[in-house]
């Protein structure tokens, strides 16, 4: 069992440190000798007694006192604002806390040099706020700025600096930057004349090792801390309860439950004695105590006694989790485990999330015990309460995401909580199977959607909110400018760090500039939220498409297949949950996954991505066929009867996002001889497209804009003579890029079919693309790509070089995000444009995603290094079918089938044609002439029938005469 050490450390140890800041260092301001009993002093006194509301009231009165005595822009007023922010954070009112911190920050910045120590301490507290909520990247920005100020003012011997180092250690550790964490911890050891510094050093090293799973080293340091604290500070010393808890965590993660519990028990008693029943440390300790009972195994050999023991231990753990919810919630005191607190009202959202997840899991396991005991009604009760608790946890995830400023922190949250979404979907589908009640099926689908590409969806919501939230164009332009400047300076830092000898002076200057710009950006967004309520409501909505709305959106012959995957790991089986939705029905299927799941995916992708096609033999052919058929049986065959004659829209999950489903085969071939042309690929029967989520497809993958021009195509020149000095070989990459003769043939062939503008050779520059791309309906880019899996925003399209200090010929993903496109289709006919880093819960972070964000609802992208000549022919045929009025998915399907029909045995290999996939909207770009012909035929029929009727009528009249 592996637990989250973040949970205890952030909310036990650091919260107490902030209390130390509040009571001991300049955060509280300097109380004048002639003002000992003012409202400010009363506020300090009330805070020390944990009377937070009374303390707030006193400090708000103190603001008025100090404004009258010192002026509104005085350090004394700013100190009170800072303290109000700290208390608001303590009681869970984080947005208000940030408001007061911002007020204090503006005053300190206005005062300049004289207020730098106060500003440094303020940044510690703001950093702590973001640490507590898990936004470690934003926290690090504030903490590193605080450190710079301390070093500049030469105040590194102050108590505040000690607290800064502890917070920095935590942030670096949680970001898994362990070397940086050890380096900061070593500064604590340097202050060997300070008892608290040495104690904190041992504690910090223990915590870092705990997070690294080095439990023996962690215990060694933590026991050293325990002994040092007792010998130098006596019993019940500063931080003893935290050290005890971390020792317990080492034993808990090592599954030594009998050793773990006594340390948690003693830690809880100390925390309650020091801080009362509702405090920052107790909830985490109570959760750990609950986890001890969840982890323990029942020892009885008889099945009935085993179930009795297991039930008792789970109920005990449930009791501890309920106590933890009481401790974390100021107004919640329900011991009844069927009750949950209001998630909007807690001391810490990150703690609340962890407790709710543990409680939901305990309820889920109790449902399994009762099912195995034959108690179906009791099992159903536990399962329903598990679902409602998981739903609360997901609401907290939404609150956390909305509070994060840093994109990397949002991605990390999605990755860390993907399992929470899956467990919720799993419980909801079980309830649907047990009860047959459709609302559980619909609930399961919506939870699956909430967990799909949530960070990307959040960014698109922000764009929509700015557009429809009543924000003036001048402010929207200001927001775009700030984003562009931040991206530019981050690129400077990225490129400088990639040099053999980075210039520390430049880096320091640019990092300060990024901080300044990000502060300005944060202030601007805060202005949007405060002054434009429609923007706020649109941005922070968590609405996803419902089954009913999706069914109304889907056309008569559309079938959407969405997956939720819990991958098998370390011999433990996984699970696949598949939703099948058409305009008429919605079904769900659950399947167990074993280790073969990963093996089949790896075999399938390994074969397709391998450019060494000449060495394909019967063995590798057979392995590919087996994996392609096996994946088909798992992922598509369960719905084979329902999908006949349908177009398929796949919403993949986790590793499935890398797969071209059209390369799967629906029948196992005779593998005694090779013939790729005869394999029954899925593409032979169905048009196929993809989306990151059904919500994105329903709400966002539509284009309202109309571009004035038709098509623009780029085919750069990669000959060595084209490289100019200003772009002289970045990291030795450009000179090694081979020419792409097929790219020029490709764009020329396309523009013969569809009128458009070609930018080839030296005209195919980044500056021309940025200048003109927003005016075209179709974008076609036939060029090289440079992937950066570790930093996907720095993956780039390689244009022809030019003498321009800003546009260097390398179009980064982050630059695409800052563009405004009106195109209905972008064809990224470059290598790996749909590949990138897989982020669990978010999908593949690729170049293609940037174009979708920039406003293009439909992307044709590549999943590996596509071959130049074959790509050119395939793309020309794709446009030929588009022009005939076919939908994008059908046009791509027909182009691939044409390739297969005309290819020799070598070029029929899937490597040459399978890599292109369509994501997003699949509707036709051009209207077909077929309806006009049908209309003409109908008119002619009416004419013929009318003429016959008239002739027959005249004949009858003549006969009467």
């Amino acid at each position: 069992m592996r637990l989250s050490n973040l949970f205890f450390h952030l909310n036990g140890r650091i919260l107490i440190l902030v209390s130390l800041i509040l009571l001991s260092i300049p955060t509280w301001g300097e109380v004048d000798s002639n003002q000992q009993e003012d409202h400010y002093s009363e506020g300090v006194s009330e805070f020390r007694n944990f009377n937070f509301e009374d303390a707030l009231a006193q400090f708000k009165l103190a603001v008025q006192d100090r404004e009258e005595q010192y002026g509104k822009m005085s350090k004394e007023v700013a100190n009170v604002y800072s303290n109000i922010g700290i208390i608001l954070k303590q009681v869970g009112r984080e947005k208000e806390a940030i408001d007061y911190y911002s007020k204090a920050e503006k005053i300190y910045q206005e005062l300049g040099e004289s207020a730098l120590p106060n500003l440094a301490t303020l940044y510690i507290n703001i950093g702590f706020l973001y640490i507590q909520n898990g936004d470690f990247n934003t926290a690090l920005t504030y903490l590193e700025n605080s450190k710079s100020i301390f070093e500049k003012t030469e105040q590194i011997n102050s108590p505040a600096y000690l607290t800064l180092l502890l917070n920095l250690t935590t942030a670096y550790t949680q970001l898994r930057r362990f070397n940086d964490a050890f380096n900061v911890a070593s500064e604590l050891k340097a202050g060997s004349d300070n008892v608290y510094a040495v104690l904190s050093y041992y504690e910090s090293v223990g915590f870092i090792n705990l997070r690294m799973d080095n439990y023996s080293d962690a215990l060694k340091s933590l026991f050293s801390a325990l002994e040092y604290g007792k010998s130098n500070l006596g019993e019940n010393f500063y931080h003893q309860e935290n050290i005890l808890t971390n020792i317990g965590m080492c034993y808990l993660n090592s599954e030594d439950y009998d050793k773990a519990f006594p340390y948690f028990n003693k830690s809880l008693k100390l925390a309650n004695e020091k801080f009362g029943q509702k405090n920052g440390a107790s909830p985490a300790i109570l959760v750990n105590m609950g986890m001890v009972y969840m982890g323990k195994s029942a020892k009885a050999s008889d099945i009935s006694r085993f179930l009795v023991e297991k039930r008792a231990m789970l109920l005990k753990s449930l009791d501890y989790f309920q106590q933890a919810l009481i401790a974390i919630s100021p107004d919640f005191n329900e011991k009844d485990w069927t009750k949950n607190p209001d998630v909007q009202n807690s001391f810490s959202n990150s703690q609340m999330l962890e407790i709710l997840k543990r409680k939901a899991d305990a309820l889920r396991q109790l449902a399994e015990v009762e099912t195995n005991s034959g108690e179906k009604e009791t099992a159903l009760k536990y399962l329903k309460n598990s679902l409602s608790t998981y739903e609360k946890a997901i609401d907290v995830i939404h609150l956390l995401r909305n509070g994060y400023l840093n994109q990397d922190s949002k991605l990390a949250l999605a990755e860390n909580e993907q399992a929470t979404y899956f467990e919720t979907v799993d419980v909801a589908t079980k309830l649907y199977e047990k009860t047959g009640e459709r609302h559980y099926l619909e609930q399961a689908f919506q939870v699956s959607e909430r967990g799909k590409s949530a960070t990307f969806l959040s960014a698109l919501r922000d764009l929509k909110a700015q557009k429809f939230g009543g924000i003036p164009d001048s402010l929207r332009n200001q927001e775009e400018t700030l984003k562009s400047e931040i991206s530019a300076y981050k690129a400077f830092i990225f490129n400088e760090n990639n040099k053999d000898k980075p210039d520390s002076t430049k880096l320091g200057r640019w990092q300060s500039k990024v901080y300044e710009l990000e502060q300005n950006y944060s202030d601007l967004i805060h202005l949007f939220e405060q002054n434009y309520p429609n923007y706020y409501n649109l941005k922070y909505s968590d609405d996803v498409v419902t089954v009913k709305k999706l069914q109304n959106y889907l056309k008569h012959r559309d079938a959407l297949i969405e997956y939720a995957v819990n991958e098998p790991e370390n011999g433990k089986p996984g699970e696949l949950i598949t939703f099948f939705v058409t305009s008429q029905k919605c079904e769900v299927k659950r399947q167990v996954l074993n280790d073969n799941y990963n093996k089949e995916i790896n075999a399938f992708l390994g074969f397709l991505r391998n450019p060494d096609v000449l060495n394909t033999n019967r063995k590798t052919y057979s392995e590919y066929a087996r994996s392609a058929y096996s994946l088909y049986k798992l992922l598509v065959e369960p719905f084979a009867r329902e999908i006949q004659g349908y177009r398929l829209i796949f919403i993949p999950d986790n590793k499935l996002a890398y797969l071209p489903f059209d390369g799967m085969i629906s029948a196992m071939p005779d593998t005694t001889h090779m013939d790729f042309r005869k394999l029954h690929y899925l593409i032979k029967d169905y048009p196929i497209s993809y989306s990151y989520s059904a919500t994105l497809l329903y709400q966002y993958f539509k284009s309202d804009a109309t571009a004035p021009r038709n098509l623009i195509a780029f085919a750069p020149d990669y000959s060595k003579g084209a490289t100019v000095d200003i772009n002289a070989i970045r990291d030795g990459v450009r000179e090694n890029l081979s020419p792409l003769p097929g790219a020029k043939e490709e764009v020329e062939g396309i523009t013969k079919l569809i009128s458009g503008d070609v930018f080839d050779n030296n005209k195919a520059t980044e500056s021309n693309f940025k200048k003109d791309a927003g005016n075209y309906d179709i974008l076609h880019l036939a060029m090289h790509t440079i992937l950066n899996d570790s930093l996907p925003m720095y993956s780039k399209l390689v244009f022809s070089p030019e003498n321009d200090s800003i546009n260097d010929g390398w179009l980064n993903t982050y630059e695409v995000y800052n563009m405004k496109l009106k195109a209905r289709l972008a064809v990224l006919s470059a290598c790996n444009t749909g590949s990138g880093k897989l982020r669990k819960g978010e999908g593949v972070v690729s170049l293609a995603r940037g174009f979708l964000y920039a406003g293009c609802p439909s992307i044709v992208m590549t999943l590996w290094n596509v071959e130049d000549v074959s790509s050119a022919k395939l793309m020309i045929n794709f446009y030929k079918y588009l022009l005939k009025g076919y939908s994008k998915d059908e046009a791509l399907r027909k182009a691939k089938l044409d390739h297969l029909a005309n290819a020799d045995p070598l070029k029929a290999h899937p490597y040459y044609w399978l890599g292109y996939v369509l994501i997003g909207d699949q509707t036709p770009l051009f209207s077909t002439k077929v309806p006009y012909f049908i209309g003409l035929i109908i008119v002619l029929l009416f004419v013929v029938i009318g003429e016959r009727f008239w002739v027959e009528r005249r004949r009858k009249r003549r006969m009467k005469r």
Side-chain angles (χ1 to χ4, degrees):
M1 180 182 297
R2 186 59 41 78
L3 307 177
S4 171
N5 305 307
L6 153 69
F7 183 44
F8 155 68
H9 188 75
L10 300 187
N11 300 290
R13 163 182 162 178
I14 301 299
L15 191 62
I16 296 165
L17 286 175
V18 169
S19 299
L20 179 68
I21 294 174
L22 291 171
L23 299 176
S24 305
I25 67 173
T27 307
W28 285 103
E30 297 83 4
V31 181
D32 291 18
S33 58
N34 64 346
Q35 207 177 14
Q36 292 297 321
E37 299 300 322
D38 64 2
H39 294 115
Y40 183 88
S41 302
E42 288 295 322
V44 172
S45 176
E46 294 295 348
F47 178 84
R48 284 175 170 163
N49 292 318
F50 301 98
N51 299 322
F52 296 130
E53 293 302 326
D54 291 338
L56 272 177
Q58 291 297 323
F59 280 127
K60 287 179 180 178
L61 291 170
V63 170
Q64 299 173 20
D65 295 342
R66 293 193 166 196
E67 283 181 345
E68 291 175 6
Q69 185 167 357
Y70 300 104
K72 290 187 176 181
M73 295 301 291
S74 64
K75 187 192 303 182
E76 288 76 13
V77 170
N79 290 337
V80 184
Y81 283 147
S82 178
N83 295 336
I84 292 173
I86 290 166
I87 295 172
L88 288 167
K89 171 57 191 150
Q90 295 277 66
V91 297
R93 293 156 63 180
E94 292 166 5
K95 287 190 179 294
E96 293 176 72
I98 291 171
D99 287 344
Y100 277 94
Y101 282 149
S102 297
K103 290 178 181 180
E105 181 185 26
K106 283 179 172 61
I107 295 173
Y108 291 145
Q109 288 175 337
E110 185 72 23
L111 292 171
E113 294 284 335
S114 64
L116 281 178
N118 303 72
L119 186 62
T121 303
L122 176 70
Y123 285 161
I124 296 173
N125 289 329
I126 297 175
F128 164 68
L129 182 150
Y130 287 110
I131 281 177
Q132 248 201 335
N133 281 340
D135 190 353
F136 304 113
N137 291 286
T138 302
L140 205 54
T141 300
Y142 283 100
L143 296 173
E144 288 179 337
N145 270 279
S146 177
K147 194 171 192 292
S148 296
I149 295 171
F150 275 112
E151 290 168 352
K152 180 180 178 180
T153 56
E154 298 180 347
Q155 294 198 17
I156 61 174
N157 294 318
S158 69
Y161 189 70
L162 167 62
T163 305
L164 167 66
L165 295 179
L166 286 165
N167 281 281
L168 267 174
T169 302
T170 299
Y172 283 132
T173 303
Q174 295 304 139
L175 290 168
R176 306 195 70 78
R177 291 171 58 176
F178 297 122
N179 288 335
D180 290 324
F182 279 122
N183 289 336
V184 173
S186 67
E187 287 194 56
L188 291 166
K189 191 177 183 182
S192 55
D193 57 338
N194 184 319
V195 172
Y196 292 101
V198 176
L199 176 64
S200 298
Y201 167 75
Y202 286 127
E203 186 186 352
S204 295
V205 171
F207 173 66
I208 298 166
N209 278 298
L210 173 56
R211 288 289 288 143
M212 295 175 70
D213 302 334
N214 296 332
Y215 302 127
S216 58
D217 290 342
L219 286 170
K220 183 179 178 181
S221 295
L222 292 168
F223 279 123
S224 295
L226 200 59
E227 292 169 13
Y228 184 86
K230 286 180 179 178
S231 61
N232 289 276
L233 297 170
E235 284 295 331
N236 299 341
F237 63 88
Y238 158 85
H239 272 204
Q240 184 176 351
E241 68 282 355
N242 305 308
I243 295 166
L244 289 168
T245 299
N246 277 344
I247 291 172
M249 287 294 295
C250 288
Y251 288 125
L252 178 60
N253 284 355
S254 302
E255 300 184 11
D256 195 341
Y257 304 113
D258 292 333
K259 283 186 179 179
F261 194 84
Y263 286 100
F264 292 140
N265 200 32
K266 188 171 182 181
S267 174
L268 182 65
K269 288 178 181 177
L270 279 173
N272 289 342
E273 287 171 8
K274 287 183 179 181
F275 312 113
Q277 293 298 312
K278 287 183 183 274
N279 62 74
S282 293
I285 301 168
L286 287 162
V287 166
N288 291 332
M289 295 170 85
M291 292 307 298
V292 167
Y293 281 98
M294 280 192 76
K296 282 186 173 183
S297 298
K299 296 179 180 179
S301 56
D302 177 74
I303 185 64
S304 59
R305 289 183 61 192
F306 175 87
L307 292 172
V308 169
E309 286 182 23
K310 188 65 179 175
R311 180 190 295 114
M313 285 187 285
L314 287 170
L315 287 170
K316 189 71 174 175
S317 71
L318 192 58
D319 179 57
Y320 278 113
F321 297 147
Q322 196 67 17
Q323 289 182 54
L325 287 174
I326 292 169
I328 197 69
S329 309
D331 302 319
F332 181 74
N333 294 292
E334 288 281 356
K335 294 183 179 179
D336 180 0
W337 54 261
T338 64
K339 303 290 194 307
N340 286 313
D342 177 6
V343 296
Q344 299 276 358
N345 189 16
S346 75
F347 295 125
S348 166
N349 285 337
S350 57
Q351 279 205 46
M352 175 65 82
L353 172 60
E354 202 68 26
I355 299 166
L356 289 168
K357 284 160 52 181
R358 301 304 183 193
K359 177 182 173 180
D361 189 33
L363 288 163
R364 182 186 59 80
Q365 291 190 40
L366 276 163
E368 290 177 5
V369 169
E370 297 301 340
T371 298
N372 292 330
S373 301
E375 300 291 337
K376 293 183 179 180
E377 289 301 316
T378 308
L380 205 59
K381 180 183 177 182
Y382 282 128
L383 210 55
K384 287 178 180 178
N385 278 279
S386 176
L387 179 60
S388 64
T389 305
Y390 271 128
E391 285 276 16
K392 288 273 187 182
I394 287 174
D395 289 341
V396 179
I397 294 171
H398 180 61
L399 289 174
L400 286 168
R401 183 183 297 112
N402 288 344
Y404 286 3
L405 299 179
N406 186 279
Q407 193 74 2
D408 287 333
S409 295
K410 290 182 179 185
L411 289 169
L413 178 70
E415 198 161 18
N416 293 335
E417 299 305 330
Q418 192 220 16
T420 307
Y421 286 100
F422 183 86
E423 292 296 343
T424 311
V425 172
D426 185 54
V427 171
T429 52
K430 284 177 180 174
L431 279 166
Y432 171 63
E433 289 172 353
K434 289 177 182 294
T435 66
E437 296 176 19
R438 184 178 168 85
H439 69 90
Y440 287 122
L441 171 60
E442 293 173 349
Q443 194 172 355
F445 180 78
Q446 284 188 262
V447 173
S448 176
E449 277 294 297
R450 289 176 77 181
K452 290 274 192 297
S453 299
T455 305
F456 188 54
L457 183 58
S458 174
L460 289 173
R461 282 195 183 108
D462 189 28
L463 278 182
K464 183 178 179 180
Q466 288 184 39
K467 185 175 180 180
F468 299 107
I471 295 173
D473 288 344
S474 58
L475 289 178
R476 291 177 63 191
N477 291 337
Q478 188 178 338
E479 189 262 353
E480 288 176 17
T481 301
L482 281 170
K483 281 202 302 187
S484 295
E485 286 188 82
I486 290 168
S487 297
Y489 278 99
K490 283 186 174 180
F492 294 156
I493 294 168
F494 172 78
N495 292 328
E496 189 66 29
N497 277 323
N498 277 344
K499 292 181 179 178
D500 292 334
K501 294 181 179 179
D503 187 326
S504 58
T505 304
K506 287 181 180 178
L507 288 172
R509 184 167 65 249
W510 291 335
Q511 284 163 350
S512 296
K513 185 64 177 176
V514 167
Y515 173 75
E516 177 191 331
L517 291 168
E518 286 182 335
Q519 287 296 104
N520 293 339
Y521 185 80
S522 177
D523 290 343
L524 183 63
I525 297 301
H526 188 60
L527 175 72
F528 289 175
E529 293 173 358
Q530 291 284 94
N531 296 349
Y532 302 93
N534 286 340
Y535 167 82
Y536 184 90
N537 293 333
L538 286 168
K539 177 179 179 179
Y540 293 119
S541 164
D542 194 28
D543 291 340
V544 292
V545 67
T546 63
V547 171
K548 186 176 181 180
K549 285 182 179 178
L550 180 60
Q551 288 182 314
N552 289 336
Y553 168 82
L554 293 173
K555 296 180 180 65
H556 176 59
R557 286 287 176 176
D558 287 351
L560 183 140
I561 303 176
E562 178 166 322
Y563 302 97
V565 182
N566 178 26
E567 294 181 350
E569 191 175 13
N570 300 324
K572 185 180 178 181
E575 187 178 6
L576 172 70
I577 299 174
T578 309
F579 295 95
F580 176 78
V581 186
T582 70
S583 60
Q584 301 298 317
K585 65 169 61 176
C586 178
E587 300 174 6
V588 66
K589 183 175 179 62
R590 289 150 41 88
Q591 298 176 79
V592 175
L593 300 176
N594 56 33
D595 287 338
N596 286 333
Y597 170 78
N598 287 318
K599 290 176 183 176
E600 299 294 4
I601 287 177
N602 293 337
F604 183 70
L605 284 176
F607 180 83
L608 294 175
R609 289 173 172 173
N610 186 3
D612 189 16
V613 294
L614 289 174
N615 287 322
T616 303
N617 52 43
R618 281 196 299 179
K619 181 183 177 183
T620 55
Y621 174 80
S622 177
E623 288 172 352
Y624 164 69
R626 189 195 67 248
S627 63
Y629 181 56
S630 176
L631 289 170
Y632 165 79
K633 288 176 67 178
L634 175 72
L635 300 170
V636 182
E637 190 182 55
F639 311 102
R641 289 183 180 179
E642 289 97 329
I643 62 177
Q644 294 301 317
Y646 278 68
R647 67 156 35 93
L648 305 183
I649 306 165
F650 289 106
I651 315 291
D653 193 27
N654 284 354
K655 292 177 184 175
L656 298 182
Y658 284 131
L659 305 185
F661 280 65
D662 42 357
M664 297 174 193
I665 57 175
S666 58
M668 192 64 190
D670 177 6
T671 56
T672 57
H673 61 278
M674 291 193 301
D675 192 343
F676 287 106
R677 293 167 295 190
K678 292 183 178 179
L679 293 179
H680 205 94
Y681 300 105
L682 215 57
I683 195 70
K684 289 186 175 181
D685 295 320
Y686 311 100
I688 292 171
S689 64
Y690 306 82
S691 179
Y692 295 121
S693 76
T695 301
L696 287 167
L697 191 66
Y698 173 77
Q699 291 184 353
Y700 294 97
F701 290 170
K702 305 169 186 175
S703 181
D704 300 324
T706 303
R709 300 179 187 175
N710 199 19
L711 177 143
I712 188 170
F714 284 79
D717 182 7
Y718 298 114
S719 61
K720 291 185 179 181
T723 303
V724 296
D725 290 342
I726 194 167
N727 290 306
I729 312 161
R730 179 177 298 174
D731 300 326
V733 173
R734 187 182 286 279
E735 70 171 358
N736 295 319
L737 293 175
S738 58
L740 297 175
K744 192 170 182 180
E745 174 192 336
E746 183 176 319
V747 298
E748 288 175 351
I750 291 165
T751 50
K752 285 178 182 177
L753 295 169
I754 301 172
S755 63
D757 298 316
V758 175
F759 288 74
D760 58 5
N761 300 329
N762 291 334
K763 292 188 296 179
T765 61
E766 180 187 0
S767 58
N768 280 337
F769 178 77
K770 287 180 177 177
K771 176 168 62 75
D772 293 325
N775 297 318
Y776 286 84
D777 189 43
I778 303 171
L779 310 177
H780 189 94
L781 307 178
M783 56 184 61
H784 279 300
T785 310
I786 306 296
L787 279 188
N788 188 327
D789 278 341
S790 58
L791 293 167
M793 283 297 177
Y794 294 94
S795 291
K796 47 187 71 47
L797 289 162
V798 187
F799 287 81
S800 294
E802 55 186 312
N803 281 306
D804 189 320
S805 59
I806 296 174
N807 297 310
D808 55 5
W810 309 80
L811 183 69
N812 293 283
T813 305
Y814 73 81
E815 294 178 279
V816 179
Y817 269 79
N818 290 330
M819 295 181 71
K820 299 295 179 187
L821 300 175
K822 297 176 184 176
R824 289 183 295 157
L825 171 67
V827 179
L828 308 183
S829 186
C831 298
N832 289 299
T833 49
S835 297
K837 185 174 184 178
L838 176 65
R839 300 295 298 256
K840 284 189 175 182
E842 196 60 31
V844 177
V845 184
S846 66
L847 267 163
R849 191 178 282 220
F851 282 85
L852 290 165
Y853 180 86
C856 188
S858 185
I859 311 290
V860 172
M861 61 187 191
T862 59
L863 298 180
W864 52 76
N865 293 324
V866 292
E867 195 266 341
D868 187 35
V869 177
S870 298
S871 297
K873 293 178 181 177
L874 193 145
M875 283 291 97
I876 292 168
N877 283 335
F878 169 63
Y879 281 95
K880 180 182 73 176
Y881 287 114
L882 279 180
L883 199 58
K884 289 181 178 180
Y886 287 102
S887 61
K888 302 181 195 83
D889 53 348
E890 181 65 23
L892 188 58
R893 171 178 175 263
K894 285 183 171 295
K896 289 179 177 181
L897 294 180
D898 279 359
H899 176 93
L900 266 179
N902 297 309
D904 59 38
L906 176 65
K907 290 296 178 74
H909 191 293
Y911 175 81
Y912 289 100
W913 58 271
L914 192 58
Y916 283 92
V917 296
L918 172 72
I919 186 164
D921 173 63
Q922 74 277 66
T923 55
L925 283 180
F926 304 100
S927 57
T928 176
K929 294 179 181 178
V930 171
Y932 298 107
F933 287 122
I934 293 173
L936 182 61
I937 290 169
I938 291 171
V939 170
L940 290 172
L941 282 172
F942 273 114
V943 169
V944 171
I945 293 169
E947 184 183 23
R948 286 190 175 184
F949 176 78
W950 183 74
V951 169
E952 183 66 19
R953 190 174 178 182
R954 286 188 63 186
R955 188 181 67 79
K956 287 181 178 179
R957 282 178 180 175
R958 286 173 181 170
M959 287 178 68
K960 286 180 180 180
R961 288 174 186 170

